[in-house]
Amino acid sequence: AEPHIGHSYTEVAADALARYHRLKGEAVWLLTGTDEHGQKIARAAEAQGLPPRAFVDRVVQRFVALWQTLGIRYDDFIRTTEPRHTATVQRVLQQLLDQGDLYEAEYSGWYCTPDETFWTQTQITNGACPDCGRPVESLKERNYFLRMSKYQPWLVEYITAHPEFVRPEIRRNETLGFLKEPLNDLCVTRPKNRLTWGISVPFSPDHVTYVWFDALVNYISAIGYGTDAKRFAELWPADCHLIGKDILRPHTVYWPIMLHALGLELPRTVFAHGWWKIGLSKISKSRGNIVDPTVVIGQYGIDAYRYFLLREIGFGLDGTYAEGAIVTRVNAELANDIGNLLHRTLTMVEKHCGGQVPTPSTIGCAEADASLRQLAAALPDAIDTAMQRLDFSAALGAILAVVNRANKYIEEQTPWTLATMGQAQRLATVIYHPVEVLRLAAIALSPFIPQAAQQMWTQLGVARSLAEMRFEDLRRWGQTPPGQRVQKGTPLFPRVET
């Protein structure tokens, strides 16, 4: 179906995290993509009268187009229908079979097509899937199974010993709670007489690969597992998988066992973010209550949309989508705080300094200057602390605190009065301070709202490219050279009138 706000939430967060670590001068490699096999995809294609391949080709382009619109800077986009992925999945299956971790057996139970999951009689409730509440089908068939139970004690011990592996803590506890019960072996194939849309199993012409097993392998197929040892060694293990909490179990139970069985390290962290809701209901294509990102972007702009997703709730919590909430964020924080500081400061530079950044002086009341500089000096550590927790909202809050202090500084120092009284040296200092705050704010905001940050940078007239800046530049006060000519443009974030 069409990409919705939930899809874009994960992508925007991943992009902001990647941009932040690039800003710190670190090597970053960001992978995204689409998993395209399985029964529900086959049925969706059939409903539209299309072959599965033609159907997924069309849908994938919508996701690619949206990520381009949102400025997602991924390093690779993998589709699970690509030959490079197919070959790796088949290699993994063969390896697991050869070492005795796969076996063939008959299975009878209940199947949820939307979740692509088998359930036992004791797990279903009133004929419905315990996860999504939709009807299940009775199935009896021969398949291949991964010996999950063999690795359950190891997995419990690993998660217990590595609290950073599953985050936030509530999801770690959820995973450990699930593992208190005996773990069923995972059915990793589907018979071709029921489903042909999948990756063929190399040792069984009658089966295709279970979509979740297939999809999870993308994380290693994209970086050369089994085909490019040097590249794989450079990029694995991943530092972070970002997922929605509804796919916690495949990523924190199936995936680590698959990796361990292959003799591979686990990712450092699997972070499961919360859901966006309308009222009390999760936003999802299956519920028909999606929010179309392209519509929201058309109304409020790309950076306003990115900002809202990252700022509105703590990453890991559930959030409620409402247009009123977006308008409040745009008007109160983007327009009144950030946009207002930029516009009023550059207006002062034009009016009192001929459009050039003035030379600051130490004459006059220095206590307010020192207070603002002190808050700015604390900003890098505040951002870093928040980002280590993947708390995007707190990181943005720390930036806003400095911006708000600069706005208050202008009100307190009354540069318009200083101009009237002819106190040119003090006026220059009072104007220079918010200019320097804006330089810091543009750098700090660049991972989160990159287009707006670039517009700020351009209006400030900085000669060096924003892309050249590094996180350490946030620790250097006074880097805006006097004489730099500003280029004031239209207000960065116009207020939304309702």
Side-chain angles (χ1 to χ4, degrees):
E2 298 286 345
H4 59 67
I5 187 174
H7 299 123
S8 62
Y9 186 42
T10 317
E11 294 290 329
V12 168
D15 182 65
L17 185 63
R19 287 174 182 268
Y20 170 73
H21 284 284
R22 291 189 192 110
L23 182 64
K24 296 192 77 176
E26 298 170 355
V28 177
W29 199 85
L30 174 59
L31 172 70
T32 188
T34 46
D35 62 292
E36 303 175 17
H37 291 123
Q39 189 166 320
K40 64 181 176 182
I41 300 293
R43 288 182 177 179
E46 184 180 5
Q48 295 198 19
L50 291 171
R53 181 69 201 214
F55 174 78
V56 297
D57 284 348
R58 189 176 68 180
V59 174
V60 165
Q61 290 310 308
R62 298 170 187 161
F63 283 85
V64 171
L66 179 58
W67 301 162
Q68 290 175 342
T69 298
L70 286 169
I72 308 299
R73 282 182 55 195
Y74 52 77
D75 295 283
D76 196 357
F77 186 103
I78 189 163
R79 299 179 57 182
T80 59
T81 50
E82 293 180 48
R84 59 170 173 160
H85 177 73
T86 297
T88 302
V89 170
Q90 292 175 332
R91 185 178 297 108
V92 166
L93 284 167
Q94 190 66 57
Q95 180 179 339
L96 293 175
L97 180 74
D98 292 345
Q99 64 192 39
D101 282 310
L102 294 185
Y103 66 92
E104 187 180 15
E106 186 170 89
Y107 178 84
S108 61
W110 299 91
Y111 191 67
C112 174
T113 297
D115 287 345
E116 304 279 12
T117 303
F118 277 113
W119 300 102
T120 64
Q121 180 65 48
T122 57
Q123 290 173 313
I124 65 171
T125 305
N126 297 323
C129 171
D131 273 0
C132 70
R134 285 168 286 195
V136 292
E137 306 172 56
S138 176
L139 290 176
K140 183 177 182 180
E141 55 194 30
R142 290 194 69 80
N143 277 307
Y144 285 84
F145 292 81
L146 175 63
R147 299 183 192 276
M148 304 284 285
S149 51
K150 171 183 174 181
Y151 295 106
Q152 183 170 4
W154 163 81
L155 181 57
V156 171
E157 181 180 343
Y158 185 89
I159 295 174
T160 303
H162 297 81
E164 76 285 355
F165 174 57
V166 183
R167 295 171 57 193
E169 186 179 3
I170 188 173
R171 304 301 160 216
R172 177 172 173 267
N173 293 338
E174 183 180 330
T175 301
L176 288 172
F178 175 74
L179 290 169
K180 287 181 179 178
E181 299 297 324
L183 197 56
N184 295 325
D185 289 345
L186 179 66
C187 179
V188 299
T189 64
R190 298 293 183 264
K192 283 186 177 177
N193 59 15
R194 177 164 68 85
L195 174 67
T196 58
W197 181 238
I199 295 176
S200 295
V201 175
F203 45 80
S204 177
D206 298 327
H207 289 90
V208 295
T209 309
Y210 169 46
V211 64
W212 262 116
F213 186 96
D214 158 8
L216 288 166
V217 173
N218 93 89
Y219 300 121
I220 57 175
S221 65
I223 56 175
Y225 178 68
T227 58
D228 190 337
K230 183 176 182 294
R231 185 163 182 259
F232 185 74
E234 290 172 350
L235 294 174
W236 191 262
D239 288 289
C240 188
H241 284 334
L242 290 184
I243 62 167
K245 68 178 185 179
D246 50 332
I247 53 175
L248 180 70
R249 192 175 304 162
H251 282 84
T252 60
V253 179
Y254 306 168
W255 183 224
I257 287 178
M258 289 165 60
L259 288 169
H260 187 63
L262 293 169
L264 299 177
E265 289 187 72
L266 273 56
R268 306 293 186 223
T269 295
V270 177
F271 197 106
H273 64 69
W275 290 337
W276 283 96
K277 299 181 178 181
I278 294 180
L280 298 177
S281 299
K282 174 198 172 189
I283 293 175
S284 73
K285 59 181 180 290
S286 59
R287 288 178 169 83
N289 63 345
I290 68 167
V291 174
D292 186 345
T294 58
V295 174
V296 183
I297 291 167
Q299 290 176 313
Y300 305 107
I302 295 166
D303 283 302
Y305 182 74
R306 286 179 62 114
Y307 184 88
F308 173 77
L309 292 181
L310 297 172
R311 175 72 171 132
E312 183 69 5
I313 56 170
F315 200 60
L317 304 176
D318 290 345
T320 300
Y321 174 83
E323 290 215 37
I326 296 182
V327 171
T328 298
R329 289 290 180 190
V330 170
N331 287 345
E333 297 181 353
L334 296 180
N336 289 1
D337 295 341
I338 299 172
N340 181 46
L341 180 64
L342 178 67
H343 195 72
R344 74 193 302 196
T345 299
L346 299 191
T347 297
M348 289 191 299
V349 174
E350 287 187 340
K351 182 177 181 180
H352 302 298
C353 310
Q356 293 180 295
V357 176
T359 302
S361 168
T362 57
I363 297 175
C365 175
E367 184 177 342
D369 306 347
S371 175
L372 179 57
R373 291 196 299 267
Q374 185 177 11
L375 187 61
L379 178 60
D381 288 341
I383 295 173
D384 200 46
T385 298
M387 291 301 287
Q388 292 303 320
R389 303 193 309 265
L390 272 67
D391 192 341
F392 304 100
S393 182
L396 288 167
I399 300 168
L400 276 175
V402 179
V403 168
N404 288 338
R405 184 69 192 90
N407 274 315
K408 188 176 181 182
Y409 171 87
I410 293 171
E411 296 297 328
E412 292 172 346
Q413 299 306 306
T414 60
W416 45 89
T417 303
L418 296 174
T420 302
M421 297 174 64
Q423 297 185 22
Q425 288 183 310
R426 180 60 192 158
L427 176 63
T429 300
V430 168
I431 292 176
Y432 184 87
H433 275 68
V435 169
E436 184 65 355
V437 166
L438 285 165
R439 179 187 70 85
L440 298 174
I443 296 171
L445 288 168
S446 62
F448 310 102
I449 47 174
Q451 291 189 13
Q454 181 57 57
Q455 290 173 339
M456 292 174 67
W457 200 251
T458 299
Q459 290 194 33
L460 286 168
V462 185
R464 292 180 63 194
S465 166
L466 181 57
E468 296 177 40
M469 297 297 104
R470 289 294 176 260
F471 192 74
E472 287 305 305
D473 289 305
L474 292 174
R475 301 187 188 278
R476 302 187 180 102
W477 179 271
Q479 296 302 298
T480 301
Q484 176 176 292
R485 184 166 293 280
V486 302
Q487 304 173 33
K488 188 181 77 170
T490 57
L492 192 60
F493 291 104
R495 282 183 57 83
V496 178
E497 300 300 331
T498 59

